[in-house]
């Protein structure tokens, strides 16, 4: 199971490390290895959230996620994206931006640093909306009940997530945006840039997430009919098959996953410049890490880990909220990537521990009464 799921990741790792040695010797090998670990540690929460969405999709779209999706993730976000933001921010042509990335790496890094406020605002608001929509939804299973129970009641207010996100964006643009960090330790007023980029992140979330939700909801009636037919088939002794989302709904969920992955990758791409400003080594290291994130996503789906450890998805979404806040903070202040990664690992680790405790409590309750009893996380 492990080899089948992670086989391509192992192969890409070997090829990537060999390419690094050929490109820049053992020093390049070490840089690529460090970047790979950085990407995996920063994106573990991404894998958990992706798994929660991917498990709803049929086998065809899961394969698309692993093939076309990985090309978008590796070549799009880890190679093309840094070049595009430099071209856009410096008003350069794409060929000029590529030439700059390969021939004048210091200037290239400066331009990426100067573009960071708009990147952070866009990604931060997109991730914030994901967190808010999750935390305001009334779920049967609650992890931090003292937070989630009152917030789920507030979530009944229409458009509350969007209102809070806009308030946060306005405050961010007037505070950290007005004193944005630039290369050389300079700080300039980029309030308007932050505001526009943040609105762009909100619009992107609403369009992609809204379309995927729309088509998913349209399938509900037909799925209910299929469930009824499956129930009849089961009573007749015929095998039952699991339903999974396909068609337009899956397509827009796929787009949602790709935008989500892009938002998660912002901190990894920016953080990579703390280690190297060589775009080739950056693409190799972050690409290897992205492969493991994809494989881990599939592993979580196939193993049913999210069904067994029910608080993992909660922990991942709290990590998303923390990452959204950190992205906005980094508009003005420099935050070490280790801190970013450790916060996500800590929250997911805590949710995993809570899930284990819950499962043990359920086992004890079922053994004593023969019935399932709802048990809180205890956190």
């Amino acid at each position: 199971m492990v080899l089948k799921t992670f086989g391509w990741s192992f192969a890409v790792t070997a090829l990537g490390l060999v390419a690094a040695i050929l490109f820049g010797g053992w020093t390049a090998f070490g840089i690529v290895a460090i970047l790979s670990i950085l990407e995996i540690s920063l994106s573990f929460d991404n894998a958990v959230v992706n798994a929660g969405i991917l498990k709803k999709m049929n086998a065809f779209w899961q394969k698309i996620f692993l093939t076309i999706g990985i090309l978008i993730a590796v070549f799009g976000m880890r190679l093309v994206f840094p070049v595009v933001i430099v071209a856009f921010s410096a008003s350069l042509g794409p060929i000029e931006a590529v030439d700059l990335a390969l021939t004048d790496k210091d200037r290239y890094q400066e331009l990426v640093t100067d573009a960071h406020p708009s990147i952070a605002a866009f990604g931060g608001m997109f991730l914030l909306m994901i967190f808010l929509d999750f935390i305001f939804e009334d779920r049967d299973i609650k992890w931090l009940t003292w937070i989630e129970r009152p917030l789920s009641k507030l979530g009944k207010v229409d458009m509350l997530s969007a209102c809070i996100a806009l308030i946060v964006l306005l405050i961010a643009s007037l505070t950290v945006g007005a004193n944005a960090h630039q290369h050389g330790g300079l700080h300039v007023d980029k309030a308007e840039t932050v505001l526009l980029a943040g609105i762009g992140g909100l619009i992107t979330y609403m369009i992609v997430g809204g379309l995927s939700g729309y088509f998913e909801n349209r399938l509900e009636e037909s799925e209910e009919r299929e469930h009824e037919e499956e129930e009849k088939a089961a009573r007749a002794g015929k095998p039952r098959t699991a339903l999974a989302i396909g068609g337009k709904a899956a397509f827009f969920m796929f787009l949602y996953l790709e935008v989500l992955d892009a938002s998660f990758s912002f901190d990894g791409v920016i953080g990579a410049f703390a280690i190297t400003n060589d775009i080739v080594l950056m693409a190799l290291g972050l690409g290897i890490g992205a492969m493991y994130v994809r494989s881990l996503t599939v592993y979580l789906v196939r193993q049913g880990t999210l069904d067994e450890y029910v608080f993992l998805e909660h922990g991942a979404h709290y990590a998303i909220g923390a990452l959204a806040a950190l992205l906005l903070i980094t508009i003005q202040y420099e935050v070490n990537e280790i801190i970013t990664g450790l916060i996500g690992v800590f929250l997911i680790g805590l949710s995993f521990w809570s899930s284990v405790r819950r499962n043990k409590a359920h086992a004890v309750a079922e053994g004593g009464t023969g019935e399932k009893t709802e048990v809180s996380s205890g956190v």
Side-chain angles (χ1 to χ4, degrees):
M1 176 65 183
V2 173
L3 184 60
K4 181 179 179 181
T5 305
F6 290 90
W8 280 106
S9 297
F10 296 152
V12 169
T13 300
L15 291 173
L17 293 176
V18 169
I21 294 174
L22 295 175
F23 179 78
W26 290 104
T27 300
F29 174 91
I31 291 173
V32 169
I34 292 171
L35 286 173
S36 302
I37 296 171
L38 172 70
E39 177 70 8
I40 294 169
S41 64
L42 289 175
S43 301
F44 184 81
D45 47 355
N46 187 8
V48 176
V49 175
N50 283 353
I53 300 171
L54 194 65
K55 69 179 182 180
K56 301 176 184 178
M57 301 165 72
N58 62 27
F60 171 78
W61 281 101
Q62 289 183 4
K63 289 179 180 178
I64 291 294
F65 176 75
L66 285 174
T67 51
I68 297 176
I70 194 62
L71 292 176
I72 296 173
V74 174
F75 294 102
M77 285 308 301
R78 276 73 179 183
L79 182 61
V80 177
F81 172 70
V83 174
V84 169
I85 60 175
V86 167
F88 181 79
S89 62
S91 300
L92 299 174
I95 296 177
E96 292 177 278
V98 172
D99 181 66
L100 184 67
L102 296 174
T103 60
D104 191 351
K105 298 170 185 176
D106 291 334
R107 177 57 181 160
Y108 175 77
Q109 181 177 355
E110 290 176 1
L111 292 174
V112 173
T113 302
D114 290 347
H116 177 68
S118 57
I119 299 169
F122 181 94
M125 298 314 296
F126 186 89
L127 294 177
L128 180 62
M129 282 297 295
I130 294 172
F131 169 71
L132 291 175
D133 277 350
F134 179 87
I135 202 68
F136 284 132
E137 184 177 345
D138 189 9
R139 299 177 177 276
D140 294 332
I141 297 176
K142 295 178 175 61
W143 180 32
L144 306 180
T145 53
W146 55 280
I147 295 177
E148 295 171 16
R149 184 173 289 122
L151 289 181
S152 65
K153 295 179 180 178
L154 287 175
K156 296 177 181 178
V157 179
D158 290 338
M159 303 300 293
L160 181 61
S161 296
C163 290
I164 292 177
L166 286 170
I167 292 171
V168 170
L169 176 59
L170 181 61
I171 294 173
S173 65
L174 296 175
T175 53
V176 292
N179 196 27
H181 173 75
Q182 302 287 265
H183 78 274
L186 299 175
H187 289 81
V188 299
D189 186 354
K190 286 202 170 185
E192 183 178 351
T193 299
V194 169
L195 188 62
L196 291 175
I199 291 174
L202 284 171
I203 292 173
T204 302
Y205 173 84
M206 290 179 176
I207 291 175
V208 179
L211 286 173
S212 63
Y214 169 73
F215 285 106
E216 184 179 355
N217 290 335
R218 286 191 62 182
L219 288 176
E220 285 185 357
E221 290 185 4
S222 61
E223 286 180 356
E224 288 177 3
R225 288 194 295 270
E226 290 179 20
H227 274 298
E228 291 176 0
E229 292 176 2
E230 286 203 337
E231 291 292 340
K232 293 178 181 178
R235 286 194 293 269
K238 298 179 180 179
R240 298 175 61 182
T241 56
L243 293 174
I245 293 175
K248 293 180 180 179
F251 172 72
F252 283 106
M253 290 183 76
F254 170 75
L255 291 182
Y256 177 79
L257 275 173
E258 292 308 313
V259 178
L260 178 63
D261 178 77
S263 298
F264 268 104
S265 67
F266 289 152
D267 62 327
V269 172
I270 299 302
F273 282 101
I275 299 171
T276 181
N277 54 11
D278 191 309
I279 190 172
V280 175
L281 298 181
M282 193 182 302
L284 287 173
L286 297 181
I288 291 172
M291 279 296 299
Y292 280 98
V293 173
R294 279 297 197 278
S295 297
L296 182 59
T297 298
V298 175
Y299 181 81
L300 292 174
V301 172
R302 292 176 177 172
Q303 291 292 99
T305 304
L306 297 184
D307 295 327
E308 183 177 358
Y309 302 102
V310 294
F311 298 133
L312 271 182
E313 195 170 2
H314 293 72
H317 278 87
Y318 279 104
I320 287 176
L323 179 56
L326 286 170
L327 278 174
L328 295 177
I329 290 172
T330 57
I331 293 173
Q332 179 177 350
Y333 304 101
E334 293 187 70
V335 178
N336 192 293
E337 291 74 30
I338 296 176
I339 296 176
T340 305
L342 287 179
I343 289 176
V345 171
F346 170 76
L347 288 169
I348 292 175
L350 185 60
S351 65
F352 176 80
W353 175 71
S354 297
S355 299
V356 172
R357 288 188 60 193
R358 175 186 182 274
N359 292 343
K360 288 182 178 179
H362 266 295
V364 172
E366 290 174 7
T369 64
E371 299 179 358
K372 277 195 172 183
T373 305
E374 183 64 30
V375 181
S376 67
S377 66
V379 177

